[in-house]
């Protein structure tokens, strides 16, 4: 996520910046969890997927799996790719439901053509605009990323990439390489007049050009900036809309109902469903 002072990508390569300490922030900082969840919800909204139909999605820069948890809660299947081993280890510790892959998106997306129904990415693409070694050429890495992404998407699918461009030149570099790779689309800007809430979403179409969604302009009162809070304990993950704490009875019932909609065999609900069991010695 972007910071007000020095940008994270100026401090070195992402696999070093996102170490164990940084991964812990994404597990314990309630504000970071809330912001990540809301941006994922917005990205999924911009994907415009069919209603009541589970889709197979790609999460680029999946990190600790916060975005993936939201996708799972919405009934979708997903695969996440990230360059940071520490972040992926944290995702495994959180028991993320998607499949995880360690990889550098600047070297291409290693999947078969037409594998995914859509793609999201939260706060990752701007990292490709920085050269951390002499062999890194941002334009070439961006083109390699976008061309491979175009290939792995089903024709007509969308990719929604939330990003923090450093300036207009960097944003133009990113969009130029996306168009060169075959995508159509453009940039959706939410809350353009707000210094804190302003968000950029690169909405790309892998098929015929369609209408570009409009950005949001009104900020709800409950979405005003809040202080970051840290604790020694992990913050229970809450879905942005339902406020359901993981592992509770209500969460278990929703998960079972979602799996029934996906056509999976699920045991009947009973009075013991979601009950906390005593430890065995």
């Amino acid at each position: 996520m972007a910071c007000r002072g020095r940008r994270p990508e100026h401090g070195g390569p992402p696999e070093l910046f996102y170490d164990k300490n940084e991964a812990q922030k994404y597990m314990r900082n309630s504000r970071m969890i809330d912001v990540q969840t809301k941006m994922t919800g917005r990205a999924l909204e911009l994907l415009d997927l069919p209603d009541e139909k589970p889709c197979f999605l790609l999460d680029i820069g999946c990190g600790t799996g916060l975005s993936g948890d939201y996708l799972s809660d919405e009934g979708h299947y997903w695969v996440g790719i990230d360059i940071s081993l520490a972040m992926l280890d944290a995702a495994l510790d959180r028991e993320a439901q998607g499949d995880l892959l360690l990889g550098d998106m600047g070297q291409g997306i290693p999947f078969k053509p037409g594998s995914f129904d859509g793609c999201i990415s939260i706060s990752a693409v701007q990292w490709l605009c920085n050269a951390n070694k002499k062999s890194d050429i941002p334009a070439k890495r961006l083109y390699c990323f976008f061309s491979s992404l175009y290939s792995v998407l089903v024709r007509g699918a969308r990719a929604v990439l939330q990003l923090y461009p450093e300036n207009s030149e960097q944003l133009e570099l990113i969009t130029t390489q996306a168009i060169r790779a075959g995508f159509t689309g453009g940039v959706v800007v939410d809350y353009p007049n707000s210094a804190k809430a302003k968000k950029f979403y690169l909405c790309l179409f892998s098929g015929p050009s369609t209408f570009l969604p409009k950005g949001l302009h009104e900020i709800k009162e409950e979405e005003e900036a809040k202080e970051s809070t840290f604790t020694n304990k992990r913050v229970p993950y809450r879905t942005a809309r339902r406020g359901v704490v993981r592992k509770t009875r209500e969460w278990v019932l929703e998960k079972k109902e979602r799996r029934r909609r996906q056509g999976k065999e699920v045991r009947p609900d009973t009075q013991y469903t979601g009950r906390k069991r005593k430890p065995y010695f």
Side-chain angles (χ1 to χ4, degrees):
M1 296 171 62
C3 58
R4 295 182 185 177
R6 184 179 175 85
R7 293 175 64 91
E9 56 267 27
H10 290 173
E15 61 268 29
L16 297 182
F17 176 82
Y18 290 104
D19 55 12
K20 291 183 179 180
N21 292 331
E22 196 69 20
Q24 288 298 312
K25 294 180 183 179
Y26 281 84
M27 297 173 67
R28 296 179 176 176
N29 186 323
S30 59
R31 180 179 178 276
M32 292 178 76
I33 294 173
D34 183 61
V35 170
Q36 186 88 1
T37 301
K38 289 180 178 178
M39 289 192 297
T40 304
R42 176 59 171 154
L44 191 59
E45 177 184 335
L46 293 172
L47 272 185
D48 193 27
L49 298 171
D51 294 333
E52 301 298 328
K53 178 184 177 181
C55 294
F56 189 43
L57 305 177
L58 176 63
D59 182 4
I60 297 174
C62 62
T64 60
L66 291 176
S67 299
D69 280 346
Y70 189 97
L71 298 179
S72 295
D73 287 335
E74 293 298 316
H76 301 296
Y77 303 97
W78 59 279
V79 173
I81 181 173
D82 201 283
I83 198 172
S84 168
L85 183 59
M87 297 289 273
L88 293 179
D89 284 341
L92 292 174
D93 183 55
R94 295 181 62 257
E95 299 180 353
Q97 298 182 35
D99 294 322
L100 304 174
L101 175 67
L102 178 66
D104 178 5
M105 60 180 172
Q107 295 181 358
I109 308 300
F111 292 98
K112 294 181 179 180
S115 296
F116 298 97
D117 300 313
C119 168
I120 68 165
S121 177
I122 306 298
S123 312
V125 177
Q126 70 271 4
W127 283 90
L128 294 177
C129 296
N130 293 270
N132 295 302
K133 49 188 178 182
K134 291 183 178 180
S135 59
D136 286 349
I137 302 176
K140 288 187 176 181
R141 283 171 58 79
L142 281 164
Y143 178 73
C144 181
F145 163 65
F146 283 119
S147 59
S148 60
L149 176 60
Y150 187 89
S151 173
V152 302
L153 291 176
V154 174
R155 290 289 75 82
R158 295 186 181 187
V160 178
L161 316 176
Q162 186 277 328
L163 68 158
Y164 290 105
E166 185 172 2
N167 48 49
S168 58
E169 289 78 12
Q170 190 176 93
L171 185 59
E172 183 178 359
L173 172 64
I174 294 173
T175 55
T176 298
Q177 297 306 317
I179 294 173
R180 183 185 168 205
F183 282 107
T184 58
V187 178
V188 175
V189 183
D190 284 352
Y191 315 121
N193 299 321
S194 173
K196 293 182 179 180
K198 186 176 183 179
K199 295 291 185 296
F200 292 84
Y201 295 88
L202 181 59
C203 296
L204 302 174
F205 312 131
S206 63
S209 181
T210 183
F211 72 94
L212 191 66
K214 295 182 179 180
L216 304 179
H217 292 276
E218 296 182 2
I219 302 177
K220 299 179 182 179
E221 295 181 0
E222 62 268 19
E223 292 182 353
E224 293 179 352
K226 300 179 181 178
E227 293 289 335
S228 298
T229 57
F230 292 86
T231 66
N232 292 327
K233 299 180 179 180
R234 289 171 52 183
V235 177
Y237 176 82
R238 296 175 180 269
T239 58
R241 291 186 298 178
R242 304 187 186 94
V244 179
V245 181
R246 289 171 62 88
K247 306 302 182 181
T248 60
R249 175 179 170 83
E250 186 178 2
W251 181 85
V252 171
L253 290 174
E254 283 196 4
K255 184 176 180 180
K256 291 177 69 175
E257 181 61 29
R258 184 172 66 249
R259 291 185 177 273
R260 291 190 184 101
R261 293 197 303 266
Q262 295 171 349
K264 295 184 177 181
E265 184 177 350
V266 181
R267 292 183 178 180
D269 299 335
T270 69
Q271 59 180 326
Y272 303 108
T273 300
R275 185 187 65 172
K276 291 185 178 180
R277 303 183 183 275
K278 296 180 180 180
Y280 290 94
F281 296 95

